[in-house]
Amino acid sequence: MTDLPLAIDFGTSNSAAALVQDGQLRRLTLDGQADTLPTAVFFPAERGPMQIGAAAVAALVAGEEGRFMRALKSVLGTPLFHESRPIGGRRRTLAEVVTAFLAETKTRAEAQTGLTFRRVLSGRPVHFHADPDRDARALADLTGCLSAAGFTEIGFCPEPEAAARACADLTGTRLGLIVDIGGGTSDFSLFRVTGARVEILASHGIRLGGTDFDRLLALDHVMPLLGQGGQLRREFGPGLLPMPNEIFVDLATWAKIPFLYTRETRNAVTQLAKFAVEPRAIGRLARVIEEELGHDIAFAVERGKIEANAGKPGAMIRLGKIERGLYAEIDAASMAAALVRARAELDAALAETCRLAGIAPAAVETAILVGGSSLMGLVGQAVTAAFPQAGQARGEAFTAVVDGLALTAAGA
């Protein structure tokens, strides 16, 4: 059977698939019994088969030799997406990696349902990138990957608009706002409900998400322990030079971590250590690069962020793999300070969504928060500040988008 469309939410951090079958919404469990599949891949060093999802994360945690990748969606539309690099024993592009991930998603969906899928409705952020040309390239990149994965009829729906269709009757609201904060983007849709009809009044999006929160927290809390912000002695003559920042930014960026483990990077760190005023910190950086601990740092930051967001006493970013007993303290106040720019971007985006819709903020009845990163306290705080008279509700954080995509694809 090939007439049913498959809905795919290919996310920066997690992905999901669903369909409407016999009039019922059906989420597919693509990774054990979970409704979502971590958007992560692992290539064993000895040319074994690519692993995806929880198996990829488990391979990294177990210390298996190989290449781990996450946040692949964030490089759609960039030159990096089509550059050929040594991955898993041969040269590949990230486009090939994403295609393989989507093809495996399709294969698992077909195995679970007994159907053959040729049609797909994929979610997309309102804007992959602020630049229109790069945004168009990102959409073309994702279209190409879906086609190469085996889909012959490909459609797209903005993710917050799909979430609005899934969540519109959540509170009985007539004028509502979807706040969809994912791993790579923040997207917003103002909608009006009339009877059974959901009308999208305006949608807006910015390139800001959970991986950006992680990057800012890593730069603020962790990278100074590795030498960021330090100084270098000049090779000749008196005076000091500032520590270059690029390597720390890349190390704090999920999508760029795998490409730091090169001879050039190792040589550069060796030079930094030679002239560093604080050699111990750069020694930690050297160990991170030599032992490929970048993703261990990223997961530690993510865990610390979750602890601090939940108000856990003594929350910290544990860095014991780098140095015994090493950690960075983190709490609500330090997070707020590190994320002040992100908060300002959220505030501006909420105001812009209302402006695009021609709706006064006071008219919004309910703000519905979806997306894994909507669980961050600063998101609820930003929404409260922008819409103090509106109620807040939570949709299914990780599946509202794919639910809405399935309903849209089925014409429900």
Side-chain angles (χ1 to χ4, degrees):
M1 186 175 181
T2 61
D3 59 333
L4 292 180
L6 181 67
I8 290 182
D9 176 20
F10 174 60
T12 302
S13 300
N14 293 282
S15 295
L19 74 159
V20 172
Q21 190 173 30
D22 299 324
Q24 299 296 315
L25 175 66
R26 180 183 178 187
R27 294 178 198 148
L28 302 182
T29 53
L30 303 177
D31 205 16
Q33 297 302 308
D35 284 341
T36 59
L37 172 72
T39 310
V41 301
F42 184 85
F43 289 91
E46 299 301 323
R47 295 197 177 200
M50 181 186 80
Q51 300 177 54
I52 73 170
V57 176
L60 175 72
V61 172
E64 295 181 23
E65 291 190 17
R67 178 67 61 87
F68 177 84
M69 295 180 175
R70 191 184 182 197
L72 296 168
K73 184 179 179 181
S74 65
V75 294
L76 290 167
T78 70
L80 178 63
F81 197 64
H82 297 285
E83 290 180 5
S84 177
R85 294 172 178 268
I87 301 172
R90 68 175 179 83
R91 297 193 71 84
R92 310 172 198 255
T93 65
L94 295 184
E96 292 176 286
V97 175
V98 169
T99 294
F101 181 91
L102 292 170
E104 179 62 18
T105 300
K106 179 176 182 289
T107 296
R108 293 186 183 189
E110 290 175 340
Q112 185 173 151
T113 61
L115 304 174
T116 300
F117 294 107
R118 294 287 178 259
R119 293 191 288 154
V120 65
L121 182 66
S122 172
R124 59 153 294 170
V126 176
H127 304 295
F128 289 95
H129 300 276
D131 176 69
D133 290 338
R134 181 169 284 191
D135 189 57
R137 288 198 297 272
L139 185 62
D141 285 343
L142 184 52
T143 301
C145 291
L146 286 165
S147 176
F151 295 104
T152 56
E153 186 176 329
I154 300 166
F156 293 95
C157 176
E159 290 155 4
E161 297 181 15
R165 294 185 174 94
C167 301
D169 63 350
L170 189 64
T171 61
T173 190
R174 290 169 301 188
L175 185 63
L177 171 70
I178 291 291
V179 179
D180 177 13
I181 315 296
T185 58
S186 295
D187 294 287
F188 315 90
S189 284
L190 266 166
F191 65 92
R192 177 181 288 122
V193 178
T194 305
R197 181 169 172 262
V198 178
E199 177 189 3
I200 304 298
L201 303 179
S203 294
H204 180 52
I206 57 175
R207 193 174 169 85
L208 176 75
T211 56
D212 298 291
F213 299 157
D214 292 349
R215 174 175 52 83
L216 293 170
L217 292 171
L219 288 170
D220 189 81
H221 289 68
V222 175
M223 296 305 153
L225 297 173
L226 307 184
Q228 183 193 36
Q231 294 179 309
L232 300 170
R233 295 186 300 273
R234 292 180 183 272
E235 186 171 5
F236 302 104
L240 299 173
L241 297 171
M243 184 71 66
N245 200 44
E246 183 178 4
I247 189 172
F248 299 103
V249 173
D250 287 354
L251 189 58
T253 305
W254 275 100
K256 294 185 177 181
I257 292 170
F259 306 112
L260 281 171
Y261 307 133
T262 64
R263 180 182 301 171
E264 292 76 13
T265 303
R266 291 183 173 92
N267 290 340
V269 173
T270 297
Q271 285 297 105
L272 293 178
K274 182 178 178 181
F275 297 103
V277 173
E278 295 289 342
R280 182 177 181 184
I282 294 299
R284 293 170 182 153
L285 175 64
R287 181 171 184 181
V288 168
I289 299 301
E290 185 62 34
E291 299 185 16
E292 302 188 0
L293 300 176
H295 282 110
D296 294 279
I297 294 174
F299 277 113
V301 170
E302 189 176 55
R303 287 190 293 268
K305 174 187 71 176
I306 292 170
E307 286 183 6
N309 187 62
K312 181 178 178 180
M316 64 180 66
I317 299 170
R318 295 166 178 81
L319 303 167
K321 284 195 174 183
I322 301 172
E323 180 180 295
R324 185 181 179 88
L326 185 66
Y327 67 92
E329 294 181 349
I330 184 170
D331 57 22
S334 70
M335 281 206 306
L339 300 176
V340 64
R341 188 178 69 183
R343 170 61 192 273
E345 291 182 31
L346 282 175
D347 291 343
L350 290 166
E352 177 65 6
T353 306
C354 290
R355 188 194 69 79
L356 291 172
I359 296 293
V364 176
E365 298 173 38
T366 307
I368 303 173
L369 278 56
V370 301
S373 296
S374 71
L375 301 172
M376 286 286 289
L378 89 160
V379 175
Q381 293 161 13
V383 172
T384 297
F387 307 99
Q389 296 177 332
Q392 283 188 32
R394 290 202 173 271
E396 294 288 345
F398 298 100
T399 59
V401 169
V402 79
D403 290 351
L405 289 170
L407 294 171
T408 302

